[in-house]
Amino acid sequence: AQSVTQLDSHVSVSEGTPVLLRCNYSSSYSPSLFWYVQHPNKGLQLLLKYTSAATLVKGINGFEAEFKKSETSFHLTKPSAHMSDAAEYFCVVSDRAMSGNEKLTFGTGTRLTIIP
Amino acid sequence: NAGVTQTPKFRVLKTGQSMTLLCAQDMNHEYMYWYRQDPGMGLRLIHYSVGEGTTAKGEVPDGYNVSRLKKQNFLLGLESAAPSQTSVYFCASSYSRVVETQYFGPGTRLLVL
């Protein structure tokens, strides 16, 4: 079984300060992990994904995430927030099950607010 | 290249009415998905398709039907709408496996009165 927990439903940071969005996961198999972003009234867009290569994954718009197996975490970070980063962020996990019956499990989302 | 498009963008239904949501993709993707998004919850998979002519149930399939007659289109039907189906519906597609990047449409906001 797989699950994902986003530890904060809402995060507020000032423009120019670092961003940290936390995600813990549970997986029975070797997981694939994703971060998607959803801007208001838009569909979801992939920020980055981890699929068992490098544990530090770089994505678009200066975001990156680090896969830590010992902590079962995949936190999303950005060194300096920009006003355009204001959005909803979803952490997503997928088991690469032996049966091939893969499915995505979405977290409940973290709303990021940027303070001017 | 329009990506994934959804029709309509917004719809209001009365309880018991039926409707079809259309999803189209122009990326030649094999896999297509329908999700619903409700406040405070992540996206939940309704139905999906792994290729033309195939469909399969997802996490919350009850009250919905789907068809994939053409590779580029994936239709979601509500036979008898209920207020519990008030939600935002997203279509997505991916080239092959589920763990490949999924590309999402802009969503359809449905209100059932």
PDB file of all heavy atoms in Angstrom, chain A residues 32 34 36 38 41-44 46 49 90 94 96 102-104 106-108, chain B residues 35 37 40-43 48 90 97-106 109:
ATOM      1  N   SER A  32       8.190   5.860  -7.067  1.00  0.00           N
ATOM      2  CA  SER A  32       8.433   7.061  -7.854  1.00  0.00           C
ATOM      3  C   SER A  32       7.716   8.192  -7.126  1.00  0.00           C
ATOM      4  O   SER A  32       6.625   7.996  -6.595  1.00  0.00           O
ATOM      5  CB  SER A  32       7.885   6.915  -9.270  1.00  0.00           C
ATOM      6  OG  SER A  32       8.600   5.957  -9.994  1.00  0.00           O
ATOM      7  N   PHE A  34       6.697  12.491  -7.135  1.00  0.00           N
ATOM      8  CA  PHE A  34       6.492  13.650  -7.986  1.00  0.00           C
ATOM      9  C   PHE A  34       6.054  14.844  -7.135  1.00  0.00           C
ATOM     10  O   PHE A  34       5.439  14.678  -6.073  1.00  0.00           O
ATOM     11  CB  PHE A  34       5.372  13.394  -9.002  1.00  0.00           C
ATOM     12  CG  PHE A  34       5.487  12.117  -9.787  1.00  0.00           C
ATOM     13  CD1 PHE A  34       5.134  10.903  -9.224  1.00  0.00           C
ATOM     14  CD2 PHE A  34       5.918  12.139 -11.101  1.00  0.00           C
ATOM     15  CE1 PHE A  34       5.224   9.717  -9.947  1.00  0.00           C
ATOM     16  CE2 PHE A  34       6.008  10.958 -11.836  1.00  0.00           C
ATOM     17  CZ  PHE A  34       5.658   9.753 -11.260  1.00  0.00           C
ATOM     18  N   TYR A  36       3.726  18.176  -8.187  1.00  0.00           N
ATOM     19  CA  TYR A  36       2.963  18.896  -9.203  1.00  0.00           C
ATOM     20  C   TYR A  36       2.540  20.242  -8.608  1.00  0.00           C
ATOM     21  O   TYR A  36       2.282  20.355  -7.410  1.00  0.00           O
ATOM     22  CB  TYR A  36       1.708  18.124  -9.605  1.00  0.00           C
ATOM     23  CG  TYR A  36       1.940  17.019 -10.622  1.00  0.00           C
ATOM     24  CD1 TYR A  36       2.353  15.754 -10.224  1.00  0.00           C
ATOM     25  CD2 TYR A  36       1.726  17.258 -11.982  1.00  0.00           C
ATOM     26  CE1 TYR A  36       2.544  14.749 -11.161  1.00  0.00           C
ATOM     27  CE2 TYR A  36       1.914  16.248 -12.915  1.00  0.00           C
ATOM     28  CZ  TYR A  36       2.321  15.000 -12.507  1.00  0.00           C
ATOM     29  OH  TYR A  36       2.513  14.004 -13.438  1.00  0.00           O
ATOM     30  N   GLN A  38      -0.271  23.540  -9.069  1.00  0.00           N
ATOM     31  CA  GLN A  38      -1.546  23.962  -9.668  1.00  0.00           C
ATOM     32  C   GLN A  38      -1.754  25.437  -9.377  1.00  0.00           C
ATOM     33  O   GLN A  38      -1.987  25.824  -8.234  1.00  0.00           O
ATOM     34  CB  GLN A  38      -2.704  23.138  -9.104  1.00  0.00           C
ATOM     35  CG  GLN A  38      -4.040  23.475  -9.738  1.00  0.00           C
ATOM     36  CD  GLN A  38      -5.183  22.664  -9.138  1.00  0.00           C
ATOM     37  OE1 GLN A  38      -5.134  22.258  -7.986  1.00  0.00           O
ATOM     38  NE2 GLN A  38      -6.213  22.425  -9.941  1.00  0.00           N
ATOM     39  N   ASN A  41      -7.223  28.075 -10.916  1.00  0.00           N
ATOM     40  CA  ASN A  41      -8.079  27.787 -12.071  1.00  0.00           C
ATOM     41  C   ASN A  41      -7.321  27.175 -13.249  1.00  0.00           C
ATOM     42  O   ASN A  41      -7.719  27.355 -14.415  1.00  0.00           O
ATOM     43  CB  ASN A  41      -8.794  29.063 -12.526  1.00  0.00           C
ATOM     44  CG  ASN A  41      -9.673  29.626 -11.431  1.00  0.00           C
ATOM     45  OD1 ASN A  41     -10.428  28.917 -10.789  1.00  0.00           O
ATOM     46  ND2 ASN A  41      -9.543  30.921 -11.187  1.00  0.00           N
ATOM     47  N   LYS A  42      -6.263  26.473 -12.945  1.00  0.00           N
ATOM     48  CA  LYS A  42      -5.471  25.799 -13.979  1.00  0.00           C
ATOM     49  C   LYS A  42      -5.360  24.312 -13.665  1.00  0.00           C
ATOM     50  O   LYS A  42      -5.659  23.866 -12.553  1.00  0.00           O
ATOM     51  CB  LYS A  42      -4.062  26.399 -14.054  1.00  0.00           C
ATOM     52  CG  LYS A  42      -4.010  27.881 -14.358  1.00  0.00           C
ATOM     53  CD  LYS A  42      -4.385  28.180 -15.792  1.00  0.00           C
ATOM     54  CE  LYS A  42      -4.175  29.647 -16.113  1.00  0.00           C
ATOM     55  NZ  LYS A  42      -4.610  29.958 -17.508  1.00  0.00           N
ATOM     56  N   GLY A  43      -4.901  23.539 -14.657  1.00  0.00           N
ATOM     57  CA  GLY A  43      -4.598  22.137 -14.420  1.00  0.00           C
ATOM     58  C   GLY A  43      -3.261  21.985 -13.729  1.00  0.00           C
ATOM     59  O   GLY A  43      -2.525  22.946 -13.518  1.00  0.00           O
ATOM     60  N   LEU A  44      -2.933  20.764 -13.344  1.00  0.00           N
ATOM     61  CA  LEU A  44      -1.675  20.497 -12.668  1.00  0.00           C
ATOM     62  C   LEU A  44      -0.536  20.414 -13.667  1.00  0.00           C
ATOM     63  O   LEU A  44      -0.703  19.957 -14.797  1.00  0.00           O
ATOM     64  CB  LEU A  44      -1.755  19.169 -11.903  1.00  0.00           C
ATOM     65  CG  LEU A  44      -2.440  19.198 -10.541  1.00  0.00           C
ATOM     66  CD1 LEU A  44      -3.936  19.394 -10.677  1.00  0.00           C
ATOM     67  CD2 LEU A  44      -2.138  17.919  -9.762  1.00  0.00           C
ATOM     68  N   LEU A  46       3.713  19.286 -13.920  1.00  0.00           N
ATOM     69  CA  LEU A  46       4.805  18.612 -13.233  1.00  0.00           C
ATOM     70  C   LEU A  46       5.934  19.586 -12.930  1.00  0.00           C
ATOM     71  O   LEU A  46       6.410  20.307 -13.807  1.00  0.00           O
ATOM     72  CB  LEU A  46       5.340  17.478 -14.100  1.00  0.00           C
ATOM     73  CG  LEU A  46       6.471  16.670 -13.470  1.00  0.00           C
ATOM     74  CD1 LEU A  46       5.934  15.826 -12.318  1.00  0.00           C
ATOM     75  CD2 LEU A  46       7.133  15.774 -14.523  1.00  0.00           C
ATOM     76  N   LYS A  49      10.351  15.058 -10.749  1.00  0.00           N
ATOM     77  CA  LYS A  49      10.035  13.684 -10.376  1.00  0.00           C
ATOM     78  C   LYS A  49      11.309  12.917 -10.031  1.00  0.00           C
ATOM     79  O   LYS A  49      12.388  13.190 -10.560  1.00  0.00           O
ATOM     80  CB  LYS A  49       9.277  12.967 -11.485  1.00  0.00           C
ATOM     81  CG  LYS A  49      10.048  12.758 -12.783  1.00  0.00           C
ATOM     82  CD  LYS A  49       9.159  12.001 -13.791  1.00  0.00           C
ATOM     83  CE  LYS A  49       9.880  11.820 -15.120  1.00  0.00           C
ATOM     84  NZ  LYS A  49       9.012  11.106 -16.104  1.00  0.00           N
ATOM     85  N   PHE A  90       1.232  19.711  -4.934  1.00  0.00           N
ATOM     86  CA  PHE A  90       0.830  18.354  -4.595  1.00  0.00           C
ATOM     87  C   PHE A  90       2.027  17.413  -4.668  1.00  0.00           C
ATOM     88  O   PHE A  90       2.731  17.372  -5.680  1.00  0.00           O
ATOM     89  CB  PHE A  90      -0.256  17.843  -5.546  1.00  0.00           C
ATOM     90  CG  PHE A  90      -1.569  18.562  -5.406  1.00  0.00           C
ATOM     91  CD1 PHE A  90      -1.875  19.646  -6.209  1.00  0.00           C
ATOM     92  CD2 PHE A  90      -2.500  18.150  -4.462  1.00  0.00           C
ATOM     93  CE1 PHE A  90      -3.076  20.316  -6.081  1.00  0.00           C
ATOM     94  CE2 PHE A  90      -3.711  18.812  -4.321  1.00  0.00           C
ATOM     95  CZ  PHE A  90      -4.000  19.891  -5.132  1.00  0.00           C
ATOM     96  N   SER A  94       4.000   6.913  -6.390  1.00  0.00           N
ATOM     97  CA  SER A  94       3.553   5.751  -7.141  1.00  0.00           C
ATOM     98  C   SER A  94       4.457   4.581  -6.828  1.00  0.00           C
ATOM     99  O   SER A  94       5.673   4.682  -6.980  1.00  0.00           O
ATOM    100  CB  SER A  94       3.573   6.028  -8.645  1.00  0.00           C
ATOM    101  OG  SER A  94       3.189   4.868  -9.365  1.00  0.00           O
ATOM    102  N   ARG A  96       6.106   1.191  -7.706  1.00  0.00           N
ATOM    103  CA  ARG A  96       6.390   0.398  -8.901  1.00  0.00           C
ATOM    104  C   ARG A  96       6.181  -1.053  -8.519  1.00  0.00           C
ATOM    105  O   ARG A  96       7.108  -1.815  -8.302  1.00  0.00           O
ATOM    106  CB  ARG A  96       7.801   0.674  -9.397  1.00  0.00           C
ATOM    107  CG  ARG A  96       7.849   1.934 -10.232  1.00  0.00           C
ATOM    108  CD  ARG A  96       9.236   2.283 -10.662  1.00  0.00           C
ATOM    109  NE  ARG A  96       9.979   2.875  -9.561  1.00  0.00           N
ATOM    110  CZ  ARG A  96      11.300   3.004  -9.562  1.00  0.00           C
ATOM    111  NH1 ARG A  96      12.014   2.562 -10.549  1.00  0.00           N
ATOM    112  NH2 ARG A  96      11.899   3.566  -8.526  1.00  0.00           N
ATOM    113  N   GLU A 102       0.470  -0.072 -11.422  1.00  0.00           N
ATOM    114  CA  GLU A 102       0.905   1.160 -10.787  1.00  0.00           C
ATOM    115  C   GLU A 102      -0.249   2.142 -10.707  1.00  0.00           C
ATOM    116  O   GLU A 102      -1.094   2.191 -11.589  1.00  0.00           O
ATOM    117  CB  GLU A 102       2.034   1.771 -11.607  1.00  0.00           C
ATOM    118  CG  GLU A 102       3.232   0.855 -11.718  1.00  0.00           C
ATOM    119  CD  GLU A 102       4.032   1.119 -12.970  1.00  0.00           C
ATOM    120  OE1 GLU A 102       3.457   1.621 -13.955  1.00  0.00           O
ATOM    121  OE2 GLU A 102       5.231   0.827 -12.969  1.00  0.00           O
ATOM    122  N   LYS A 103      -0.259   2.934  -9.669  1.00  0.00           N
ATOM    123  CA  LYS A 103      -1.229   4.008  -9.587  1.00  0.00           C
ATOM    124  C   LYS A 103      -0.610   5.151  -8.816  1.00  0.00           C
ATOM    125  O   LYS A 103       0.332   4.970  -8.055  1.00  0.00           O
ATOM    126  CB  LYS A 103      -2.517   3.539  -8.915  1.00  0.00           C
ATOM    127  CG  LYS A 103      -2.404   3.248  -7.411  1.00  0.00           C
ATOM    128  CD  LYS A 103      -3.738   2.752  -6.883  1.00  0.00           C
ATOM    129  CE  LYS A 103      -3.691   2.533  -5.383  1.00  0.00           C
ATOM    130  NZ  LYS A 103      -3.781   3.812  -4.650  1.00  0.00           N
ATOM    131  N   LEU A 104      -1.139   6.345  -9.070  1.00  0.00           N
ATOM    132  CA  LEU A 104      -0.669   7.531  -8.370  1.00  0.00           C
ATOM    133  C   LEU A 104      -1.550   7.786  -7.155  1.00  0.00           C
ATOM    134  O   LEU A 104      -2.768   7.640  -7.232  1.00  0.00           O
ATOM    135  CB  LEU A 104      -0.727   8.745  -9.288  1.00  0.00           C
ATOM    136  CG  LEU A 104       0.155   8.743 -10.544  1.00  0.00           C
ATOM    137  CD1 LEU A 104       0.026  10.070 -11.263  1.00  0.00           C
ATOM    138  CD2 LEU A 104       1.594   8.458 -10.196  1.00  0.00           C
ATOM    139  N   PHE A 106      -2.200  10.957  -4.579  1.00  0.00           N
ATOM    140  CA  PHE A 106      -1.948  12.385  -4.407  1.00  0.00           C
ATOM    141  C   PHE A 106      -2.058  12.764  -2.940  1.00  0.00           C
ATOM    142  O   PHE A 106      -2.952  12.286  -2.226  1.00  0.00           O
ATOM    143  CB  PHE A 106      -2.959  13.209  -5.202  1.00  0.00           C
ATOM    144  CG  PHE A 106      -2.729  13.184  -6.687  1.00  0.00           C
ATOM    145  CD1 PHE A 106      -3.082  12.084  -7.450  1.00  0.00           C
ATOM    146  CD2 PHE A 106      -2.171  14.274  -7.335  1.00  0.00           C
ATOM    147  CE1 PHE A 106      -2.869  12.057  -8.817  1.00  0.00           C
ATOM    148  CE2 PHE A 106      -1.962  14.274  -8.709  1.00  0.00           C
ATOM    149  CZ  PHE A 106      -2.308  13.163  -9.448  1.00  0.00           C
ATOM    150  N   GLY A 107      -1.179  13.662  -2.505  1.00  0.00           N
ATOM    151  CA  GLY A 107      -1.358  14.284  -1.209  1.00  0.00           C
ATOM    152  C   GLY A 107      -2.506  15.280  -1.250  1.00  0.00           C
ATOM    153  O   GLY A 107      -3.076  15.552  -2.317  1.00  0.00           O
ATOM    154  N   THR A 108      -2.848  15.830  -0.100  1.00  0.00           N
ATOM    155  CA  THR A 108      -3.990  16.735  -0.012  1.00  0.00           C
ATOM    156  C   THR A 108      -3.637  18.164  -0.414  1.00  0.00           C
ATOM    157  O   THR A 108      -4.511  19.012  -0.474  1.00  0.00           O
ATOM    158  CB  THR A 108      -4.565  16.752   1.399  1.00  0.00           C
ATOM    159  OG1 THR A 108      -3.507  17.010   2.323  1.00  0.00           O
ATOM    160  CG2 THR A 108      -5.205  15.404   1.734  1.00  0.00           C
TER     161      THR A 108
ATOM    162  N   TYR B  35      -9.836  12.373 -13.246  1.00  0.00           N
ATOM    163  CA  TYR B  35      -9.740  12.580 -11.811  1.00  0.00           C
ATOM    164  C   TYR B  35     -10.832  13.541 -11.372  1.00  0.00           C
ATOM    165  O   TYR B  35     -11.314  14.355 -12.149  1.00  0.00           O
ATOM    166  CB  TYR B  35      -8.409  13.240 -11.444  1.00  0.00           C
ATOM    167  CG  TYR B  35      -7.173  12.415 -11.669  1.00  0.00           C
ATOM    168  CD1 TYR B  35      -6.458  12.517 -12.870  1.00  0.00           C
ATOM    169  CD2 TYR B  35      -6.672  11.583 -10.677  1.00  0.00           C
ATOM    170  CE1 TYR B  35      -5.291  11.788 -13.068  1.00  0.00           C
ATOM    171  CE2 TYR B  35      -5.503  10.851 -10.864  1.00  0.00           C
ATOM    172  CZ  TYR B  35      -4.822  10.964 -12.063  1.00  0.00           C
ATOM    173  OH  TYR B  35      -3.654  10.250 -12.244  1.00  0.00           O
ATOM    174  N   GLN B  37     -11.384  16.445  -8.145  1.00  0.00           N
ATOM    175  CA  GLN B  37     -10.692  17.176  -7.087  1.00  0.00           C
ATOM    176  C   GLN B  37     -11.718  17.846  -6.194  1.00  0.00           C
ATOM    177  O   GLN B  37     -12.522  18.657  -6.677  1.00  0.00           O
ATOM    178  CB  GLN B  37      -9.750  18.227  -7.672  1.00  0.00           C
ATOM    179  CG  GLN B  37      -8.944  18.965  -6.608  1.00  0.00           C
ATOM    180  CD  GLN B  37      -8.014  20.006  -7.195  1.00  0.00           C
ATOM    181  OE1 GLN B  37      -8.328  20.645  -8.197  1.00  0.00           O
ATOM    182  NE2 GLN B  37      -6.849  20.187  -6.583  1.00  0.00           N
ATOM    183  N   GLY B  40      -9.789  20.176   0.077  1.00  0.00           N
ATOM    184  CA  GLY B  40      -9.086  19.504   1.160  1.00  0.00           C
ATOM    185  C   GLY B  40      -8.651  18.091   0.856  1.00  0.00           C
ATOM    186  O   GLY B  40      -8.146  17.391   1.734  1.00  0.00           O
ATOM    187  N   MET B  41      -8.839  17.689  -0.396  1.00  0.00           N
ATOM    188  CA  MET B  41      -8.449  16.327  -0.779  1.00  0.00           C
ATOM    189  C   MET B  41      -7.549  16.387  -1.996  1.00  0.00           C
ATOM    190  O   MET B  41      -7.606  17.319  -2.791  1.00  0.00           O
ATOM    191  CB  MET B  41      -9.688  15.483  -1.082  1.00  0.00           C
ATOM    192  CG  MET B  41     -10.684  15.425   0.048  1.00  0.00           C
ATOM    193  SD  MET B  41     -12.080  14.372  -0.323  1.00  0.00           S
ATOM    194  CE  MET B  41     -11.317  12.767  -0.197  1.00  0.00           C
ATOM    195  N   GLY B  42      -6.735  15.390  -2.117  1.00  0.00           N
ATOM    196  CA  GLY B  42      -5.946  15.293  -3.342  1.00  0.00           C
ATOM    197  C   GLY B  42      -6.814  14.820  -4.485  1.00  0.00           C
ATOM    198  O   GLY B  42      -8.009  14.562  -4.325  1.00  0.00           O
ATOM    199  N   LEU B  43      -6.224  14.715  -5.649  1.00  0.00           N
ATOM    200  CA  LEU B  43      -6.976  14.190  -6.789  1.00  0.00           C
ATOM    201  C   LEU B  43      -7.235  12.702  -6.598  1.00  0.00           C
ATOM    202  O   LEU B  43      -6.379  11.959  -6.118  1.00  0.00           O
ATOM    203  CB  LEU B  43      -6.180  14.399  -8.089  1.00  0.00           C
ATOM    204  CG  LEU B  43      -6.364  15.745  -8.775  1.00  0.00           C
ATOM    205  CD1 LEU B  43      -5.762  16.867  -7.954  1.00  0.00           C
ATOM    206  CD2 LEU B  43      -5.771  15.715 -10.175  1.00  0.00           C
ATOM    207  N   TYR B  48      -9.623   5.166 -15.935  1.00  0.00           N
ATOM    208  CA  TYR B  48      -8.492   5.422 -16.802  1.00  0.00           C
ATOM    209  C   TYR B  48      -8.528   4.466 -17.988  1.00  0.00           C
ATOM    210  O   TYR B  48      -9.318   3.518 -18.022  1.00  0.00           O
ATOM    211  CB  TYR B  48      -7.167   5.314 -16.037  1.00  0.00           C
ATOM    212  CG  TYR B  48      -6.837   3.934 -15.522  1.00  0.00           C
ATOM    213  CD1 TYR B  48      -5.948   3.119 -16.202  1.00  0.00           C
ATOM    214  CD2 TYR B  48      -7.388   3.471 -14.330  1.00  0.00           C
ATOM    215  CE1 TYR B  48      -5.621   1.862 -15.716  1.00  0.00           C
ATOM    216  CE2 TYR B  48      -7.073   2.205 -13.847  1.00  0.00           C
ATOM    217  CZ  TYR B  48      -6.177   1.420 -14.532  1.00  0.00           C
ATOM    218  OH  TYR B  48      -5.863   0.174 -14.054  1.00  0.00           O
ATOM    219  N   PHE B  90     -10.678  16.708 -13.701  1.00  0.00           N
ATOM    220  CA  PHE B  90      -9.480  16.886 -14.508  1.00  0.00           C
ATOM    221  C   PHE B  90      -9.234  15.650 -15.349  1.00  0.00           C
ATOM    222  O   PHE B  90      -9.313  14.514 -14.866  1.00  0.00           O
ATOM    223  CB  PHE B  90      -8.252  17.141 -13.627  1.00  0.00           C
ATOM    224  CG  PHE B  90      -8.227  18.498 -13.009  1.00  0.00           C
ATOM    225  CD1 PHE B  90      -8.632  18.688 -11.709  1.00  0.00           C
ATOM    226  CD2 PHE B  90      -7.803  19.603 -13.745  1.00  0.00           C
ATOM    227  CE1 PHE B  90      -8.619  19.945 -11.129  1.00  0.00           C
ATOM    228  CE2 PHE B  90      -7.786  20.862 -13.182  1.00  0.00           C
ATOM    229  CZ  PHE B  90      -8.198  21.035 -11.874  1.00  0.00           C
ATOM    230  N   ARG B  97       3.349   4.430 -19.316  1.00  0.00           N
ATOM    231  CA  ARG B  97       3.048   3.973 -17.987  1.00  0.00           C
ATOM    232  C   ARG B  97       2.542   5.086 -17.076  1.00  0.00           C
ATOM    233  O   ARG B  97       2.790   6.255 -17.300  1.00  0.00           O
ATOM    234  CB  ARG B  97       4.288   3.333 -17.376  1.00  0.00           C
ATOM    235  CG  ARG B  97       4.752   2.104 -18.093  1.00  0.00           C
ATOM    236  CD  ARG B  97       6.159   1.771 -17.665  1.00  0.00           C
ATOM    237  NE  ARG B  97       6.256   1.625 -16.227  1.00  0.00           N
ATOM    238  CZ  ARG B  97       7.345   1.956 -15.536  1.00  0.00           C
ATOM    239  NH1 ARG B  97       8.401   2.446 -16.142  1.00  0.00           N
ATOM    240  NH2 ARG B  97       7.380   1.792 -14.231  1.00  0.00           N
ATOM    241  N   VAL B  98       1.891   4.666 -16.025  1.00  0.00           N
ATOM    242  CA  VAL B  98       1.357   5.604 -15.034  1.00  0.00           C
ATOM    243  C   VAL B  98       2.455   6.486 -14.469  1.00  0.00           C
ATOM    244  O   VAL B  98       2.246   7.662 -14.215  1.00  0.00           O
ATOM    245  CB  VAL B  98       0.657   4.835 -13.890  1.00  0.00           C
ATOM    246  CG1 VAL B  98       0.318   5.765 -12.741  1.00  0.00           C
ATOM    247  CG2 VAL B  98      -0.593   4.146 -14.400  1.00  0.00           C
ATOM    248  N   VAL B  99       3.673   5.955 -14.298  1.00  0.00           N
ATOM    249  CA  VAL B  99       4.724   6.738 -13.653  1.00  0.00           C
ATOM    250  C   VAL B  99       5.375   7.724 -14.605  1.00  0.00           C
ATOM    251  O   VAL B  99       6.234   8.493 -14.205  1.00  0.00           O
ATOM    252  CB  VAL B  99       5.797   5.830 -13.019  1.00  0.00           C
ATOM    253  CG1 VAL B  99       5.191   5.044 -11.890  1.00  0.00           C
ATOM    254  CG2 VAL B  99       6.434   4.920 -14.052  1.00  0.00           C
ATOM    255  N   GLU B 100       4.982   7.685 -15.854  1.00  0.00           N
ATOM    256  CA  GLU B 100       5.442   8.740 -16.739  1.00  0.00           C
ATOM    257  C   GLU B 100       4.739  10.047 -16.386  1.00  0.00           C
ATOM    258  O   GLU B 100       3.697  10.052 -15.756  1.00  0.00           O
ATOM    259  CB  GLU B 100       5.130   8.374 -18.197  1.00  0.00           C
ATOM    260  CG  GLU B 100       5.872   7.155 -18.702  1.00  0.00           C
ATOM    261  CD  GLU B 100       7.363   7.389 -18.786  1.00  0.00           C
ATOM    262  OE1 GLU B 100       7.765   8.519 -19.143  1.00  0.00           O
ATOM    263  OE2 GLU B 100       8.125   6.457 -18.498  1.00  0.00           O
ATOM    264  N   THR B 101       5.296  11.145 -16.814  1.00  0.00           N
ATOM    265  CA  THR B 101       4.704  12.448 -16.551  1.00  0.00           C
ATOM    266  C   THR B 101       3.294  12.496 -17.093  1.00  0.00           C
ATOM    267  O   THR B 101       3.045  12.105 -18.238  1.00  0.00           O
ATOM    268  CB  THR B 101       5.539  13.548 -17.217  1.00  0.00           C
ATOM    269  OG1 THR B 101       6.861  13.506 -16.693  1.00  0.00           O
ATOM    270  CG2 THR B 101       4.917  14.916 -16.968  1.00  0.00           C
ATOM    271  N   GLN B 102       2.371  12.950 -16.258  1.00  0.00           N
ATOM    272  CA  GLN B 102       0.998  13.134 -16.709  1.00  0.00           C
ATOM    273  C   GLN B 102       0.779  14.602 -17.044  1.00  0.00           C
ATOM    274  O   GLN B 102       1.223  15.491 -16.318  1.00  0.00           O
ATOM    275  CB  GLN B 102       0.015  12.662 -15.631  1.00  0.00           C
ATOM    276  CG  GLN B 102       0.092  11.156 -15.402  1.00  0.00           C
ATOM    277  CD  GLN B 102      -1.044  10.604 -14.570  1.00  0.00           C
ATOM    278  OE1 GLN B 102      -2.057  11.252 -14.342  1.00  0.00           O
ATOM    279  NE2 GLN B 102      -0.897   9.362 -14.118  1.00  0.00           N
ATOM    280  N   TYR B 103       0.081  14.823 -18.141  1.00  0.00           N
ATOM    281  CA  TYR B 103      -0.229  16.161 -18.602  1.00  0.00           C
ATOM    282  C   TYR B 103      -1.718  16.396 -18.369  1.00  0.00           C
ATOM    283  O   TYR B 103      -2.550  15.607 -18.821  1.00  0.00           O
ATOM    284  CB  TYR B 103       0.114  16.317 -20.086  1.00  0.00           C
ATOM    285  CG  TYR B 103       1.597  16.206 -20.345  1.00  0.00           C
ATOM    286  CD1 TYR B 103       2.197  14.959 -20.481  1.00  0.00           C
ATOM    287  CD2 TYR B 103       2.395  17.344 -20.438  1.00  0.00           C
ATOM    288  CE1 TYR B 103       3.561  14.850 -20.695  1.00  0.00           C
ATOM    289  CE2 TYR B 103       3.754  17.238 -20.660  1.00  0.00           C
ATOM    290  CZ  TYR B 103       4.333  15.990 -20.784  1.00  0.00           C
ATOM    291  OH  TYR B 103       5.691  15.893 -20.992  1.00  0.00           O
ATOM    292  N   PHE B 104      -2.020  17.497 -17.684  1.00  0.00           N
ATOM    293  CA  PHE B 104      -3.381  17.744 -17.245  1.00  0.00           C
ATOM    294  C   PHE B 104      -4.071  18.799 -18.097  1.00  0.00           C
ATOM    295  O   PHE B 104      -3.445  19.762 -18.559  1.00  0.00           O
ATOM    296  CB  PHE B 104      -3.388  18.207 -15.787  1.00  0.00           C
ATOM    297  CG  PHE B 104      -3.147  17.099 -14.810  1.00  0.00           C
ATOM    298  CD1 PHE B 104      -1.867  16.645 -14.567  1.00  0.00           C
ATOM    299  CD2 PHE B 104      -4.201  16.507 -14.139  1.00  0.00           C
ATOM    300  CE1 PHE B 104      -1.631  15.621 -13.669  1.00  0.00           C
ATOM    301  CE2 PHE B 104      -3.986  15.481 -13.235  1.00  0.00           C
ATOM    302  CZ  PHE B 104      -2.692  15.027 -12.997  1.00  0.00           C
ATOM    303  N   GLY B 105      -5.380  18.610 -18.233  1.00  0.00           N
ATOM    304  CA  GLY B 105      -6.210  19.640 -18.830  1.00  0.00           C
ATOM    305  C   GLY B 105      -6.534  20.719 -17.805  1.00  0.00           C
ATOM    306  O   GLY B 105      -6.188  20.591 -16.634  1.00  0.00           O
ATOM    307  N   PRO B 106      -7.236  21.780 -18.223  1.00  0.00           N
ATOM    308  CA  PRO B 106      -7.524  22.904 -17.337  1.00  0.00           C
ATOM    309  C   PRO B 106      -8.662  22.657 -16.359  1.00  0.00           C
ATOM    310  O   PRO B 106      -8.879  23.449 -15.455  1.00  0.00           O
ATOM    311  CB  PRO B 106      -7.890  24.028 -18.312  1.00  0.00           C
ATOM    312  CG  PRO B 106      -8.441  23.311 -19.491  1.00  0.00           C
ATOM    313  CD  PRO B 106      -7.674  22.032 -19.604  1.00  0.00           C
ATOM    314  N   ARG B 109     -15.461  22.497 -14.092  1.00  0.00           N
ATOM    315  CA  ARG B 109     -16.115  22.714 -12.790  1.00  0.00           C
ATOM    316  C   ARG B 109     -17.577  22.337 -12.949  1.00  0.00           C
ATOM    317  O   ARG B 109     -18.290  22.905 -13.788  1.00  0.00           O
ATOM    318  CB  ARG B 109     -15.967  24.170 -12.370  1.00  0.00           C
ATOM    319  CG  ARG B 109     -16.392  24.458 -10.942  1.00  0.00           C
ATOM    320  CD  ARG B 109     -16.000  25.884 -10.565  1.00  0.00           C
ATOM    321  NE  ARG B 109     -14.566  26.084 -10.606  1.00  0.00           N
ATOM    322  CZ  ARG B 109     -13.757  25.854  -9.585  1.00  0.00           C
ATOM    323  NH1 ARG B 109     -14.231  25.394  -8.443  1.00  0.00           N
ATOM    324  NH2 ARG B 109     -12.472  26.085  -9.704  1.00  0.00           N
TER     325      ARG B 109
END
